[in-house]
């Protein structure tokens, strides 16, 4: 049962930060609230005060700039990202990612900021944004700070947000040339939370074939979305090769630290990490080579 | 092929407008003046003595109006098998002992749900935990914790079916194989959870609105357990949001709300949460299955031996029937010259296992059809050929068990074979698997011990020709309301819009045993047809007087036109005769009655549906993930009554049965269900449904109204087996434990590749 | 706990209510306004039986605090018909038998309405996605998909009523 709470609504970001400061001992932010209300109904969370930022239009925006890249306000809904022409043009992977999250109803009401702030390692945006080298801007009443997303996720449902901080914006830099990013999640029922997921980016060198830079991000395979750094090291300087991909997949699966639960064993999850890593790297590599050829 | 005016035509479901406008009021929606809200306190232990319950603090919480425990009951152990008192073992509200996690121990009524929930936390229960046992093969061992005093080694029920000389036949077999299977449990997942609004009034009468598949059973069981006169209890169930076998036994919402209401003389509403629904309502019977089959090298079936241990859970519920039916349908739809089945239902400290669509047959068919494909492979015989060689035929008698009249299984095999051939060569990693089945159209058994006909109907024809049709059947979505209106309209010779159906109220409707075991179309349908036939006869008497035809002519009514059959242009309007008839009967409306009880129809059912299903599946060899591409079913339900309804039942059955095959499971840890919610319990969504195709094979079943048989439940039987066989043909691995998950497939593939390397 | 003023327009009717802030939109619709067409089937936002339109967008009313709908326009299944005249979707559902027990039907109709409002010419895949959130245990979805497709194909023109 949901316990009673004091309901406060903020109409500006400044007001929200003010209210947070005032109630920082016992408050929760509600935006889409789809994760929060479930926890509250189960009695796992019973804040004295709820600060509603759903209608904070100030944080509801998508902007793109060739130099700065993409900026998404925290209260932007998943559906807005999914249907944005800007996003489709410059970061089509994000559109694809959104189409595979939950349901239209959930995406209509749920927000990107809320998703990230929840800190669920099985969330989809986390790994994808990390693969895209994304950052988040957070603030409290006194100051703002920006940090890379890979430093934002700490543990299961634990982020780097301090108790008086609010997530304001997600920043995705422009995708470098000769770079492709891919993402796949494994589930039994389409759009369900992944059993594991892998986001992979490949940036090619001048020759348009060898890997200059890469990111392999594992989702739902550790307490937080995590990069498979040992696996990444194996790729730098190399050309695409089936045996190489097989090795990288195996190393990535060893770096994974997934749970054993009713949906899958730890061993199966690791096998999936292996397969998905191989597939996503191969896909990204092919796409990047195609882009390199176009550029040439 | 006979042509009918009403049946087998596309008719709008008669509840349709109410449902699409949101006006259908389910028990979930009922609100009565001064109504209180109830919540149930449930045991956290799988097995424990209840030493003491203190309710004082809960009672004193402002807003709480009543608290009940087992001490407030008559201590009656009830059960649906009323004729066999030793199987009536469930108090529902536990008094001395709890036997599964989730068993009710107390209930509270308060001014709102939150208060009621708050009060639950204030009830102090002192338990003495006892050792518990969760699995049937463990529970049956010597020294296992005893769950019911009367059940030695926790054996609840045993069943034996046998014909022919099995051992002799095995000796004559060219090829024998034995296999072990694990069939999982499954949750019904009705969209409307179990709920009841009970209202006890100062007149000493109890009215219970509830979501049920049988208002009659609930009325009788409530009266029994409450010590009330049967007809001082009224049960109302106009709309039921899904049943699938979960809602024809007395449940905790009904019993606790009644007890609470009786204490304060106010209406009390209890709605089970989805978590309670998973944890503490009944579920499909898990089975450990052993099958041994002996055949000749040309594929003729000779001998089959089956041994089954079912996980009974804490109480008998309908588990005894599931135990029998799984053994009976294990031999379907084939001619086995000899057969032996031994079934053991074993009590365990888990939520009781009971009836779920298919009732033991989906488990049986999964095992049987998986083994048959393995036999076909070993012998080098085509899977369809092997089946064709051995299937039942009209006139076959299952020795000592059943007489098969209509049987279209051969035509079903032909249709499916045709489709498979049309698919040609399949893309890589794909396979087609088939499964054949048969199912009952209502049971002949009276373990409930009713003195009433199994189904009855009453008709009243009014001056404007409107027909009041009173039935006892329950529509839980399967469409029986529409089916009955159609049967009545066809027989009487009027239109569906002339019928005003009355159902779902024990105070106003005749008795019918309820919507389970696929009995409504055949049994309630026969009763309705009989009543309509009588009403028609009464009208025709007046028509004959009016028209005075020569004695060689007989008459009928078709589409509101009463006429000579040989000379249809000579006739008179139904509406005119109705007026004459009522005048002729001293101003009394036409009343007619019908009823049906199966007599001398074998051990199981008067009639059996048949079918063959093919599933085309694709398997990802790197992850084991299964994707269903096509599902084609050829089935024989005799005469189709409601074609839109049958198609809906087929597609719904596929979704549910496929779920049983590859996505749904109820994993437990020490008796605790680990996924009691719709996020972690995976039922199919739009994207997992395959393309579906159905071929109707029409036969005529003499036992059924207009030749009709069941169509809603038998269709749940084949899909798990067909799916498993599809995976087998796609990958070469045969998975013998349900559900067939990607992890199991991948593990089996790795094992197979290891063996190959060797 | 202090009650708050909620101003909400449901099916084009304006209401002012005093409610506890913890009340969900679905509770206000069903319990305060008596609109029981919208159902609830779970506690974890999984079944989508509670789907309504909030300012034209489909949402799960069990996952929206009523106060978050302050000032908003809400449409429920009761608003689909117009003085007894059924909407094209409702008529198509009847023709195709796109419901059985009917408990998920309100949610399905609202999801379908939202889908067709945004995309009057959806493919079968679009339709599957459009109702993907909505669980149904009875129909296996195919009849619902057929019913929506028929409306999209223009078989139920508004003026044909």
């Amino acid at each position: 049962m949901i316990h009673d709470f004091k309901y406060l609504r903020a109409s500006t970001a400044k007001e929200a930060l003010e209210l947070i400061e005032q109630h920082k001992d016992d408050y929760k932010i509600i935006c889409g609230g789809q994760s929060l209300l479930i926890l509250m109904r189960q009695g796992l969370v019973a804040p004295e005060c709820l600060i509603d930022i759903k209608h904070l239009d100030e944080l509801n925006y998508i902007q793109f700039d060739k130099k700065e890249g993409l900026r998404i306000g925290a209260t932007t809904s998943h559906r807005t990202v999914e249907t944005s022409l800007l996003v489709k043009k410059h970061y089509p992977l994000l559109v694809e990612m959104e189409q595979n999250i939950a349901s239209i109803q959930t995406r209509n009401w749920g927000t990107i900021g809320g998703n990230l702030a929840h800190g669920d390692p099985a969330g989809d945006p986390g790994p994808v944004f990390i693969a895209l080298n994304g950052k988040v801007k957070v603030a409290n009443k006194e100051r703002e700070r920006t940090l890379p997303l890979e430093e934002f996720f700490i543990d299961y449902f634990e982020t780097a947000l301090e108790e008086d901080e609010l997530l304001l914006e997600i920043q995705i830099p422009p995708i470098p040339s000769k770079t492709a990013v891919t993402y796949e999640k494994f589930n039994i029922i389409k759009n369900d939370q992944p059993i594991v997921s892998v986001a992979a980016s490949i940036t090619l060198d001048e020759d348009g074939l060898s890997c200059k830079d890469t990111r392999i991000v594992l989702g739902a395979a550790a307490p937080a979305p995590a990069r498979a750094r040992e696996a990444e090291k194996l790729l730098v300087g190399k050309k695409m090769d089936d045996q190489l991909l097989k090795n990288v997949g195996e190393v990535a699966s060893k770096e994974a630290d997934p749970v054993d639960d009713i949906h899958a064993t730890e061993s199966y999850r690791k096998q999936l990490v292996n397969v998905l890593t191989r597939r996503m790297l191969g896909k990204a590599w092919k796409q990047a080579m195609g882009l390199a050829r176009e550029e040439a | 092929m006979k042509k009918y005016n009403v049946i087998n035509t596309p008719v709008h479901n008669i509840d349709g407008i109410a449902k699409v406008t949101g006006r259908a009021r389910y028990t979930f929606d009922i609100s009565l003046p001064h109504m209180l809200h109830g919540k149930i306190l449930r045991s956290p232990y799988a097995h424990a003595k209840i030493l003491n319950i203190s309710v004082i603090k809960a009672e004193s919480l402002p807003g709480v109006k009543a608290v009940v425990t087992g001490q407030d009951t008559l201590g009656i152990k009830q059960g649906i098998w009323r004729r066999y008192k030793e199987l009536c073992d469930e108090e529902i509200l536990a008094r001395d002992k709890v036997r599964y996690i989730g068993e009710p121990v107390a209930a509270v009524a308060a001014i709102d749900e939150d208060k009621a929930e708050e009060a639950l936390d204030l009830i102090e229960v002192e338990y003495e935990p006892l050792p518990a046992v969760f699995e049937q093969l463990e529970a049956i061992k010597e020294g296992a914790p005893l769950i019911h005093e009367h059940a030695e080694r926790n054996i609840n029920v045993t069943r034996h079916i046998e014909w022919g000389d099995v051992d002799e036949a095995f000796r004559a077999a060219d090829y024998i194989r034995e296999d072990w299977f694990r069939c999982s449990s499954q949750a019904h997942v009705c969209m409307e959870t179990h709920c009841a609004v009970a209202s006890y009034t100062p007149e000493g009468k109890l009215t219970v609105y509830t979501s049920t598949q049988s208002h009659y059973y609930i009325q009788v069981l409530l009266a029994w357990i409450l010590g009330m006169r049967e007809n001082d209890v009224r049960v109302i169930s106009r709309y039921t949001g899904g049943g699938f076998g979960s809602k024809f036994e007395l449940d905790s919402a009904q019993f606790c709300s009644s007890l609470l209401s009786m204490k304060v003389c106010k209406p009390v509403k209890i709605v089970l949460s989805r978590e309670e629904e998973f944890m503490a309502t009944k579920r499909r019977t898990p089975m450990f299955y052993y099958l041994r089959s002996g055949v000749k090298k040309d594929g003729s079936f000779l001998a089959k031996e089956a041994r089954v241990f079912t996980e009974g859970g804490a109480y008998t519920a309908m588990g005894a029937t599931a135990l029998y039916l799984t053994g009976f349908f294990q031999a379907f739809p084939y001619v086995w010259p000899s057969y032996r089945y031994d079934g053991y239902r074993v009590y365990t400290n888990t939520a009781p296992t009971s009836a779920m669509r298919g009732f033991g047959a989906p488990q049986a068919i999964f095992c049987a059809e998986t083994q048959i494909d393995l036999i076909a492979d070993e012998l080098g015989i085509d899977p369809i050929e092997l089946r064709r060689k051995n299937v039942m035929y009209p006139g076959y008698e299952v020795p000592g068990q059943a007489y098969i009249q209509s049987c279209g299984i051969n035509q079903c095999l032909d249709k499916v074979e045709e489709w498979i051939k049309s698919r040609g060569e399949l893309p890589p990693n794909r396979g087609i698997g088939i499964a054949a089945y048969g199912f009952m159209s209502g049971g002949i058994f009276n373990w409930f011990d009713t003195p009433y006909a199994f189904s009855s109907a009453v008709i009243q024809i009014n001056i404007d020709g409107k027909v009041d049709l009173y039935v006892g059947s329950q529509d839980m979505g399967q469409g029986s309301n529409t089916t009955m209106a159609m049967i009545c309209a066809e027989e009487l010779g009027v239109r569906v819009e002339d019928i005003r159906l009355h159902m779902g109220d024990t105070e106003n409707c005749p008795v019918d045993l309820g919507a389970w075991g696929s009995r409504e179309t055949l049994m309630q349908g026969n009763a309705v047809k009989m009543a309509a036939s009588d009403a028609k006869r009464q009208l025709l008497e007046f028509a004959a007087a009016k028209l005075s035809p020569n004695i060689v002519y007989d008459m009928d009514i078709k589409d509101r036109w009463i006429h000579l059959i040989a000379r249809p242009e000579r006739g008179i309007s139904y509406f005119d005769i109705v007026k004459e008839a009522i005048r002729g009967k001293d101003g009394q409306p036409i009343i007619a009655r019908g009823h049906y009880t199966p007599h001398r129809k074998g051990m199981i059912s008067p009639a059996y549906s048949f079918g063959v299903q093919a599933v085309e599946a694709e398997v990802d060899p790197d992850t084991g993930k299964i994707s269903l591409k096509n599902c084609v079913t050829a089935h024989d339900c005799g005469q189709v009554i409601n074609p839109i309804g049958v198609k809906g039942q087929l597609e719904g059955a596929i979704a549910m049965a496929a779920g049983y095959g590859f996505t749904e499971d109820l994993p437990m840890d020490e008796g605790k269900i680990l996924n009691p919610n719709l996020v972690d319990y995976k039922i199919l969504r739009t994207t997992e449904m395959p393309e579906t195709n159905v071929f109707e094979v029409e036969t005529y079943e003499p036992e059924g109204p207009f030749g009709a048989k069941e169509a809603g439940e038998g269709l749940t039987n084949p899909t798990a087996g067909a799916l498993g066989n599809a995976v087998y043909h796609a990958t070469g691995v045969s998975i013998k434990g349900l559900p067939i998950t990607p992890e199991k497939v991948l593990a089996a593939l790795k094992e197979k590749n290891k063996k190959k390397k060797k | 706990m202090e009650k708050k003023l909620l101003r909400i327009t449901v099916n084009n009717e304006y209401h002012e209510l005093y409610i506890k802030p913890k009340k969900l939109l679905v509770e206000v619709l069903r319990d305060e306004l008596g609109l029981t067409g919208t159902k609830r089937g779970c506690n974890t936002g999984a079944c989508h039986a509670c789907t309504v339109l909030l300012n034209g967008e489909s949402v799960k009313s069990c996952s929206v605090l009523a106060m978050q709908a302050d000032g908003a326009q809400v449409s429920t299944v009761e608003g689909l018909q117009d003085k007894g005249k059924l909407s094209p979707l409702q008529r198509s559902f009847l023709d195709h038998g796109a419901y059985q027990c009917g408990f998920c039907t309100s949610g399905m109709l609202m999801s379908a309405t939202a889908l067709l409002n945004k995309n009057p010419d959806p493919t079968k895949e679009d339709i599957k996605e459009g109702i993907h959130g909505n669980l149904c245990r009875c129909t296996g979805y195919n009849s619902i998909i057929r019913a929506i497709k028929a409306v999209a194909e223009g078989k139920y023109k508004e003026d044909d009523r």
Side-chain angles (χ1 to χ4, degrees), chain C residues 111-138:
Chain C
S111 288
T113 302
L115 169 72
L116 293 178
N117 284 350
K118 292 221 161 32
N119 179 4
D121 190 19
T123 62
K124 203 161 154 196
E125 293 311 309
D126 293 330
I127 295 173
K128 280 189 180 181
E129 194 202 11
I131 59 170
H132 190 256
N134 297 69
L135 285 179
C136 175
R137 196 48 158 166
C138 295

Side-chain angles (χ1 to χ4, degrees), chain A residues 9-65:
Chain A
R9 183 185 279 206
S11 35
T12 65
K14 184 153 174 266
E15 199 186 329
L17 293 172
E18 187 65 55
L19 288 172
I20 289 173
E21 175 64 34
Q22 277 172 34
H23 300 272
K24 68 169 177 248
D25 291 328
D26 196 350
Y27 82 99
K28 276 266 177 230
I29 296 286
I30 185 166
C31 194
Q34 289 170 132
S35 304
L36 180 66
L37 285 176
I38 294 175
L39 296 174
M40 287 177 76
R41 195 158 19 237
Q42 290 168 354
L44 294 170
V45 156
E48 202 178 288
C49 155
L50 270 195
I51 301 171
D52 183 4
I53 61 166
K54 187 69 173 80
H55 302 288
L56 250 188
D57 285 329
E58 198 186 314
L59 297 182
N60 183 3
Y61 58 84
I62 299 180
Q63 290 161 5
F64 178 75
D65 176 284

Side-chain angles (χ1 to χ4, degrees), chain A residues 196 198 218 245-254 256 267-281, chain B residues 622 750:
Chain A
V196 294
V198 173
L218 310 182
L245 290 181
K246 271 205 180 102
N247 293 343
V248 175
E250 255 191 70
V251 173
S253 80
K254 289 200 174 80
S267 153
Y268 182 64
R269 285 191 155 99
K270 284 187 165 164
Q271 290 176 78
L272 287 176
V273 166
N274 187 339
V275 173
L276 290 180
T277 301
R278 218 187 328 128
R279 286 184 180 171
M280 288 306 97
L281 282 175
Chain B
D622 294 323
K750 293 215 149 105

Side-chain angles (χ1 to χ4, degrees), chain B residues 183-195:
Chain B
C183 298
S184 45
S185 190
Q186 189 181 15
H188 305 83
V189 191
C190 306
M191 290 314 295
E192 184 192 23
T193 58
H194 286 65
C195 51

Side-chain angles (χ1 to χ4, degrees), chain A residues 1-2 41-42 186-190 192-193 262-268 271-272 275-276 278-279, chain B residues 114 117-118 620 622-623 625 663 667 674-675 679-680 682-685 687-688 742-743 746 750:
Chain A
M1 138 186 118
I2 298 178
R41 195 158 19 237
Q42 290 168 354
F186 183 87
N187 48 27
I188 307 294
I189 306 287
K190 186 170 180 289
D192 266 6
Q193 279 219 315
I262 58 169
H263 298 301
T265 58
E266 184 188 331
S267 153
Y268 182 64
Q271 290 176 78
L272 287 176
V275 173
L276 290 180
R278 218 187 328 128
R279 286 184 180 171
Chain B
D114 287 346
E117 211 177 303
E118 220 181 298
D620 181 334
D622 294 323
T623 64
K625 186 167 180 182
T663 68
L674 297 173
N675 59 343
V679 174
D680 296 313
K682 314 266 183 199
I683 75 171
L684 263 62
R685 290 184 187 266
T687 41
E688 286 68 44
E743 187 163 349
L746 194 63
K750 293 215 149 105

Side-chain angles (χ1 to χ4, degrees), chain A residues 41, chain B residues 28-29 188-194 241 247 271-278 676-679 683, chain C residues 26 30 37-51 60-63 103-105 107 133-137:
Chain A
R41 195 158 19 237
Chain B
F28 188 75
D29 305 317
H188 305 83
V189 191
C190 306
M191 290 314 295
E192 184 192 23
T193 58
H194 286 65
K247 291 179 181 167
V271 177
L272 294 199
S273 69
R274 183 57 66 183
E275 288 67 33
E276 283 177 287
E277 190 79 0
F278 273 110
N677 62 72
L678 288 170
V679 174
I683 75 171
Chain C
V26 66
R30 287 179 52 84
T38 306
K39 309 296 183 201
R40 287 182 86 166
C42 77
N43 283 321
T44 49
C47 78
H48 295 64
C50 64
T51 302
K60 292 174 282 185
S61 58
C62 72
S63 305
F103 207 72
C104 77
T105 305
N134 297 69
L135 285 179
C136 175
R137 196 48 158 166

